[in-house]
Amino acid sequence: MSLRVKQKLRDGVIQGLIYLTVLLVSLIFFWLLFDLVHGGAAHLSWEFLTESPTDAGRAGGIASILVSTVLILLVAMVASVPLAWSTAVLLAELVPAESTFGRIVRFSLYVLAGVPSIVFGLFGHAFFSIYLELGFSILSGGLTLACMLLPILTSTAEAGLRAVPDTYRLSAAALGLSRTAALTHLILPAAAPTLAAGLLIGIGRALAETAALLFTSGYVDRMPGSLLDSGRALALHIFDLSMNVPGGDSPAYASSLVLVSLLLCINILSMKLAYGLQRKKIMT
Amino acid sequence: MNDDPNAFTLGPLEAGPPCCEPQPVIQVRNLSLRYNTQAALDNVSLDIFKGCITALIGPSGCGKTSFLSAINRMTDLIPGCSIDGRILVDSQNIHHPQCDVQALRRRIGMVFQKPTPFPLSIRRNIALPLNEHGITQKTEVAAITETVLRDVGLWNEVCDRLDVSALSLSGGQQQRLCIARALALNPEILLMDEPCSALDPMASGIVEDLICSLQGRYTIVIVTHNLAQARRIANYAAFFWVRGHAGHLVEFGRCRHIFESPRDELTAAYVNGARG
Ligand SMILES: Nc1ncnc2c1ncn2[C@@H]1O[C@H](COP(=O)(O)OP(=O)(O)OP(=O)(O)O)[C@@H](O)[C@H]1O
Ligand SMILES: [Mg+2]
C-alpha cells in the first residue's frame, strides 16, 4: 500500500470514529429527552403547574414546589452574588495576581468547588438549621446553596474581569480617573456578559441541586408562608416521588420535564451570552 | 552629575529658544528604572522645557516608553517596576507622598502608542473623564467636546454620529479621538508615545499639524521613530541608546544640533540612518 493510501485510510477511520462518538452523545441526550417527554407529557398540563400537590404528589400539581424553588433560588442569589462579585473584584482588580493573599483565596475557592454537595448539605444542616436555629427552612436551604455557589460565581466573575483588556485600566488611569470610576464605568460594563453568563450557570446549578437541600430546606410540599417555612425544591420533589412514593412515576416524569426545560432555557441563554461576548471580542 | 535640580542639563545658552528664557517644567534627575531585576533606564537626567516640543528618539527597546510612563507615574501600575532618582514637575517631586497622582495625571496627559478608546460612544469617551474631574454641566461638556474634536480634525467626520461606539471608528480616527480625549482635560503637558505609528500618511499629517499647532500652548514630549517627523516638529531632541541591556540618554539638545551637528558619534550614525 502506498503511503498516500495509508494516510487516507487512517484519516477515514479517525473521522468515522469521531462521527460515531458525536452520534452516541447526541443519541443519549435525545433518548433522555424522548423518555422524559414520553413519560411526562401526558401528565403535563396548565393545572399541573398551577395546583399544589395532594396525596404525596401523586395527584395535583407542583405550584407550591415551584414557589419554594424560586424562593430558595432567590435567597441563594441574594446572599451569594454580592459576596462572590466583590471577591472577584478584589482578586482581579485590587490584589496582584501572584500575591499570597490572592493565592490563598483562590485555593480555598478551588477546594470549595470540589466539595460534594451532600457535604454542603450536612454543613448547612449543622450550621444554619441547628446552630443558627433556622430549622428546616427555605432560608437555611438558600444559604446553604449560596455557600455552594460562591466558588463558581467568583471564578467566572474573576475570569470575566481579567478578560477586560488592560488598556482600559491604563488609559483610564492616564486620564486621572479613580479606580472606582474605571471599575464602575468601564470594567464592570465590559465584563457584564461574563458576569451574566456566570450567574446563569449558578442558577442552573442551584435549580438542579438536591443533596444540599435534603437536610436544610426539607420536604414539606405545602405552599410556603414565609422564608422560615420548610419548602420542597423541584429536584427534591422528583427525588421523593420516584424513591418514596409508589405510583409517583408520571408526576415525577412531568416534574423532570419542567426542570429540564428550565435548565435548557437557562443553558441556551448563557450560551447566547457567551457567543455575544466572543463576537464582541473579535470585533474590538 | 550636578545635584542642584535647578541647574539645566544643557547650558542655558544651548537650552534657550532664540527669543526667550527657557523654563524647565519637568526636571528628571538620575532616573533609573527597573522591571523586576532588569534595568530599562540607567541614570537619565533631562529637562523638558515649557511650551516646547521634545522628541525622544532611539532604537526599539531603549526605554522611551518607560521614560514617558515614569513622568506621569503610570509605572506605578506596572507590577515589578521600580524607580530611582527624582522627577520634578514645576519643582514638585512627583514621588512625594503628598503628591496627588490623579491631579498629576490630569496635568500630564498621555496618548498611547496604540489607540485606546473606551468601549463607549464617541461623546461619552470625552465626557467620562470630564465628568470625573468635576465638569458635569452638559453645555460645557458639549462645548469642550466640539472644541477638541475640531482641534484634532475629527469634528466634520463624526459630528453627526457622536453617539455611535468609538470602536466603530477607523484606527486613525480612534487615535485622534484619544488625543482629543487627552486635550479635553486641558493638560499642561502632553506625553505622546508614537502617536502616528498606527496612522496612514494623511492622518499622520493631520496629527503632525495638530501637534505643531499645540506648540506653545502645551508642553509636548513625543516619542517617534520617524526621524524626519522629529526634525520637522521638535524643538528639542533626546537620543536614547541601549548599552548593556539598559537604556541610556546619549545626547540631548536642540533639535537642530542633534540632527545637524551631533556631538556623539552614535547620534550622528543614528540620525544619518547608519545605525539602529
Ligand atoms: N512591563 C514590562 N515588564 C518587563 N519589562 C519591560 C516591560 N515594559 C518594557 N520592558 C522592557 O524594558 C525595556 C524598554 O522598553 P520600552 O517599552 O521602554 O522601549 P521603547 O524604547 O519604548 O521601545 P519601542 O520603540 O519598541 O516602543 C525593554 O527591554 C523591554 O523589554
Ligand atoms: Mg515604546
Side-chain angles (χ1 to χ4, degrees):
Chain A
M1 231 186 316
S2 83
L3 187 65
R4 183 99 335 181
V5 174
K6 247 191 208 160
Q7 281 175 343
K8 272 218 167 121
L9 203 70
R10 201 179 53 193
D11 279 0
V13 168
I14 287 178
Q15 259 185 26
L17 279 176
I18 288 172
Y19 274 110
L20 205 70
T21 43
V22 171
L23 204 71
L24 211 66
V25 168
S26 1
L27 214 65
I28 292 173
F29 172 70
F30 282 110
W31 180 38
L32 194 141
L33 210 60
F34 171 78
D35 191 44
L36 281 182
V37 173
H38 182 72
H43 203 88
L44 202 60
S45 64
W46 182 243
E47 284 70 40
F48 185 71
L49 295 178
T50 53
E51 281 172 13
S52 280
T54 50
D55 191 13
R58 287 186 198 91
I62 52 167
S64 59
I65 310 285
L66 285 178
V67 170
S68 300
T69 309
V70 169
L71 286 179
I72 292 172
L73 202 64
L74 274 180
V75 170
M77 288 297 154
V78 167
S80 62
V81 168
L83 263 177
W85 286 1
S86 16
T87 310
V89 167
L90 181 77
L91 288 178
E93 302 292 326
L94 300 181
V95 301
E98 297 303 315
S99 69
T100 321
F101 174 77
R103 265 180 227 224
I104 292 174
V105 175
R106 233 171 264 124
F107 177 76
S108 335
L109 289 172
Y110 235 67
V111 173
L112 220 52
V115 171
S117 53
I118 186 74
V119 177
F120 276 105
L122 290 173
F123 163 77
H125 180 71
F127 186 67
F128 296 118
S129 299
I130 295 176
Y131 183 72
L132 294 184
E133 296 177 356
L134 295 175
F136 282 96
S137 66
I138 288 175
L139 199 57
S140 167
L143 292 175
T144 308
L145 270 193
C147 298
M148 210 185 91
L149 293 181
L150 268 181
I152 174 102
L153 287 176
T154 309
S155 52
T156 47
E158 193 197 346
L161 290 172
R162 283 199 188 281
V164 175
D166 251 346
T167 53
Y168 296 168
R169 298 180 181 91
L170 290 179
S171 45
L175 288 164
L177 264 61
S178 65
R179 270 178 145 174
T180 324
L183 191 69
T184 51
H185 292 295
L186 298 169
I187 297 168
L188 283 180
T194 6
L195 294 188
L199 196 67
L200 287 177
I201 295 173
I203 292 177
R205 282 272 175 92
L207 264 183
E209 189 47 51
T210 321
L213 298 176
L214 210 53
F215 313 118
T216 51
S217 57
Y219 280 94
V220 176
D221 60 3
R222 277 193 309 276
M223 187 64 83
S226 79
L227 291 183
L228 288 173
D229 281 351
S230 167
R232 190 190 277 194
L234 194 52
L236 202 66
H237 186 55
I238 297 165
F239 171 75
D240 193 51
L241 279 176
S242 55
M243 296 305 286
N244 305 332
V245 182
D249 276 356
S250 47
Y253 264 115
S255 309
S256 308
L257 197 56
V258 173
L259 182 59
V260 170
S261 318
L262 279 175
L263 287 174
L264 258 181
C265 289
I266 285 171
N267 272 319
I268 290 172
L269 215 65
S270 55
M271 248 148 75
K272 273 234 155 76
L273 272 177
Y275 174 72
L277 173 81
Q278 237 172 17
R279 230 185 24 181
K280 208 170 124 204
K281 252 205 196 136
I282 292 164
M283 261 167 54
T284 49
Chain B
M1 191 39 75
N2 195 333
D3 230 25
D4 176 13
N6 290 322
F8 294 139
T9 44
L10 303 177
L13 208 80
E14 194 173 352
C19 54
C20 54
E21 192 76 4
Q23 275 187 319
V25 269
I26 304 175
Q27 297 163 295
V28 180
R29 294 292 178 271
N30 309 97
L31 176 72
S32 297
L33 187 149
R34 272 177 297 126
Y35 293 106
N36 302 311
T37 52
Q38 173 78 45
L41 281 175
D42 188 24
N43 205 9
V44 172
S45 297
L46 188 62
D47 282 334
I48 306 290
F49 294 106
K50 199 179 190 101
C52 295
I53 298 176
T54 305
L56 308 183
I57 55 174
S60 192
C62 66
K64 305 181 293 293
T65 301
S66 310
F67 180 80
L68 275 196
S69 337
I71 295 177
N72 67 346
R73 284 186 58 181
M74 288 299 284
T75 40
D76 292 6
L77 301 179
I78 302 169
C81 181
S82 58
I83 280 184
D84 251 339
R86 272 186 301 172
I87 301 176
L88 310 178
V89 174
D90 276 341
S91 314
Q92 303 292 316
N93 190 340
I94 65 166
H95 292 290
H96 194 276
Q98 267 162 20
C99 172
D100 176 355
V101 183
Q102 270 171 262
L104 177 82
R105 291 187 186 140
R106 183 184 174 175
R107 287 177 61 198
I108 308 182
M110 187 170 203
V111 177
F112 294 89
Q113 193 162 351
K114 275 195 239 150
T116 55
F118 296 136
L120 306 169
S121 71
I122 297 173
R123 192 195 302 280
R124 201 69 191 115
N125 256 281
I126 295 175
L128 175 62
L130 286 175
N131 292 345
E132 287 304 314
H133 287 287
I135 303 169
T136 47
Q137 242 195 342
K138 281 223 168 70
T139 48
E140 197 181 355
V141 171
I144 295 176
T145 305
E146 180 171 346
T147 313
V148 292
L149 285 178
R150 276 189 198 285
D151 272 347
V152 298
L154 204 56
W155 180 252
N156 289 330
E157 289 164 58
V158 302
C159 62
D160 52 348
R161 48 179 180 137
L162 286 176
D163 290 305
V164 306
S165 165
L167 301 180
S168 69
L169 295 174
S170 78
Q173 290 172 325
Q174 288 185 5
Q175 185 66 306
R176 281 183 283 154
L177 176 64
C178 292
I179 298 175
R181 193 174 63 184
L183 292 180
L185 292 175
N186 200 15
E188 296 157 37
I189 301 160
L190 202 53
L191 310 175
M192 303 177 112
D193 195 353
E194 298 182 51
C196 299
S197 66
L199 305 186
D200 71 280
M202 279 278 290
S204 171
I206 295 175
V207 172
E208 199 178 307
D209 291 344
L210 167 71
I211 295 169
C212 287
S213 71
L214 297 177
Q215 183 183 10
R217 272 202 283 161
Y218 299 91
T219 304
I220 296 176
V221 186
I222 180 172
V223 173
T224 177
H225 282 296
N226 184 338
L227 294 180
Q229 183 184 56
R231 201 169 179 161
R232 278 196 298 275
I233 63 177
N235 308 106
Y236 292 89
F239 173 59
F240 288 78
W241 187 260
V242 189
R243 244 184 242 138
H245 298 300
H248 287 256
L249 177 65
V250 176
E251 193 166 349
F252 171 60
R254 291 188 67 76
C255 192
R256 204 153 37 84
H257 294 174
I258 294 282
F259 281 98
E260 284 162 17
S261 49
R263 275 170 301 195
D264 198 283
E265 278 172 43
L266 219 49
T267 320
Y270 186 79
V271 298
N272 292 324
R275 292 277 294 272

